[in-house]
Amino acid sequence: SAVISQKPSRDICQRGTSLTIQCQVDSQVTMMFWYRQQPGQSLTLIATANQGSEATYESGFVIDKFPISRPNLTFSTLTVSNMSPEDSSIYLCSVEVAGWGEKLFFGSGTQLSVL
Amino acid sequence: QKEVEQNSGPLSVPEGAIASLNCTYSDRGSQSFFWYRQYSGKSPELIMSIYSNGDKEDGRFTAQLNKASQYVSLLIRDSQPSDSATYLCAVRNAGNNRKLIWGLGTSLAVNP
């Protein structure tokens, strides 16, 4: 399987500030994704983090608001920029790992509250 | 709009009973189907995947797929209180983006 370290686990932030979430995987990763899960909602894909190139964003998400880096195969960051209370959510890193087919492994999540 | 629909529940069953969770999807081109379990405050974990029509059994869990009727279900036999969680259905289509489409999840409560 894969061990995914995601941090911070939670944070309380002020409106207008930015937070960077880190995701580190201990296995060879084929695909890496960032999801958001708002209260009472399903998982929403923000973007696919591409190694060495710009992330692929889903409809409704833009690079200026959610810049993503993936400098190597096993590490990625998601920044939530210029935060507003509407950004309060759980943010999840997930990966597909070589040898495990389409199985998605998830990090423990980041609980973000914006005041 | 490609959709995956689940009854939000809560579904309440007594300990030892069979819990039946259902999921319907709109995209006939869907090829891969997954059930994830999410405990409160935790991240999702995969419990079953199914790709062909019929039943697939893994321990107390059985996934059932009917592509003609566009539904996939999860049966949990001998339900235990530790099975109390939200069960998420996820469907992947065969298109270029191979994106997972997620249901809202069904909350299951197993009562001792």
Side-chain angles (χ1 to χ4, degrees), chain B residues 66-103:
Chain B
N66 185 323
K67 290 186 178 181
S69 300
Q70 294 177 240
Y71 82 79
V72 55
S73 62
L74 179 70
L75 301 178
I76 307 175
R77 290 183 301 280
D78 188 23
S79 295
Q80 301 297 309
S82 58
D83 295 325
S84 299
T86 296
Y87 289 80
L88 301 169
C89 175
V91 176
R92 173 171 282 148
N93 64 32
N96 290 334
N97 62 18
R98 295 177 64 246
K99 191 169 70 172
L100 270 179
I101 309 299
W102 295 83

Side-chain angles (χ1 to χ4, degrees), chain B residues 14-57:
Chain B
E15 184 174 356
I18 296 175
S20 179
L21 306 164
N22 298 311
C23 171
T24 60
Y25 59 94
S26 62
D27 183 5
R28 283 196 169 272
S30 299
Q31 297 292 316
S32 309
F33 307 85
F34 307 91
W35 284 99
Y36 283 78
R37 177 176 62 198
Q38 186 173 26
Y39 292 113
S40 180
K42 302 294 184 182
S43 52
E45 58 178 329
L46 181 68
I47 52 173
M48 289 288 287
S49 59
I50 188 166
Y51 303 94
S52 304
N53 279 329
D55 294 0
K56 179 182 178 182
E57 186 174 318

Side-chain angles (χ1 to χ4, degrees), chain A residues 35 37 40-43 45 58 92 96 102-104 106-108, chain B residues 32 34 36 38 43-44 46 51 88 92 98-100 102-104:
Chain A
Y35 279 92
Q37 188 174 32
Q41 300 295 315
S42 187
L43 294 169
L45 181 63
E58 297 299 310
L92 291 159
E96 289 181 8
E102 296 180 285
K103 178 175 183 175
L104 270 186
F106 285 86
S108 55
Chain B
S32 309
F34 307 91
Y36 283 78
Q38 186 173 26
S43 52
L46 181 68
Y51 303 94
L88 301 169
R92 173 171 282 148
R98 295 177 64 246
K99 191 169 70 172
L100 270 179
W102 295 83
L104 284 174

